[in-house]
Amino acid sequence: MISVIKPNIGFFVILVTTFRINKTYFKVTTTESKLNFERLIFRLERNHRCVLRLAKNLNSYKYEPKNYECFARLSELKAAFSVLAKKQMALFDQIQHHSLPFGDATEKVEDSIKQYHGLEKKMAEYLLGL
């Protein structure tokens, strides 16, 4: 919902966007929403760099498997990191083109970060099992 507020002083017009997050309505000015989207993009970019770094580390000779079980776990981790990186890039494109509402984008970024932490935990378990 977009409404126009005309203050008594000056000729400024502020567009106010109402977002529905968790059944609560918030009014955010366009400058605030732009700042929130930029923060969201920054979080996603930072997390994406971490995903790429860990995926690169998995390809290192230091983490080569010593038996079949480790080989299967390593290939599963590599595939999961690859899928997560692709999902993050698609999400990044959706956020950049504003094709996703802010509330949905926030939820998807949070889910992406949770998935990253789960993969990071699995990677630590793999490394301890070597």
Side-chain angles (χ1 to χ4, degrees):
M1 180 174 142
I2 298 175
S3 59
V4 178
I5 300 172
K6 295 180 182 177
N8 294 335
I9 303 172
F11 296 104
F12 296 108
V13 176
I14 300 172
L15 293 177
V16 177
T17 308
T18 304
F19 294 109
R20 183 172 183 245
I21 302 173
N22 295 332
K23 298 182 181 178
T24 307
Y25 289 92
F26 297 98
K27 288 191 175 183
V28 182
T29 62
T30 53
T31 55
E32 289 177 15
S33 66
K34 185 175 180 180
L35 182 63
N36 289 338
F37 268 101
E38 288 174 1
R39 286 180 183 158
L40 195 63
I41 289 171
F42 180 73
R43 283 183 70 193
L44 187 61
E45 285 177 342
R46 185 176 59 211
N47 187 255
H48 187 67
R49 283 193 301 267
C50 292
V51 167
L52 294 178
R53 181 179 42 84
L54 287 180
K56 182 180 176 184
N57 285 345
L58 280 177
N59 290 327
S60 172
Y61 72 93
K62 294 188 280 185
Y63 304 119
E64 284 186 12
K66 298 193 180 3
N67 56 28
Y68 180 75
E69 182 183 324
C70 289
F71 179 78
R73 289 174 63 193
L74 178 65
S75 62
E76 179 183 311
L77 277 172
K78 285 181 181 180
F81 274 110
S82 176
V83 167
L84 180 60
K86 288 178 184 175
K87 278 185 181 178
Q88 286 180 339
M89 288 305 296
L91 181 59
F92 181 71
D93 288 341
Q94 288 177 340
I95 292 172
Q96 284 253 317
H97 298 331
H98 298 287
S99 62
L100 198 60
F102 182 73
D104 294 341
T106 304
E107 288 178 17
K108 286 189 176 190
V109 169
E110 291 295 330
D111 290 342
S112 173
I113 291 172
K114 285 178 186 176
Q115 188 177 6
Y116 163 73
H117 288 301
L119 287 175
E120 191 177 35
K121 187 184 235 183
K122 286 182 181 180
M123 184 174 171
E125 291 171 359
Y126 168 75
L127 293 177
L128 291 174
L130 286 179

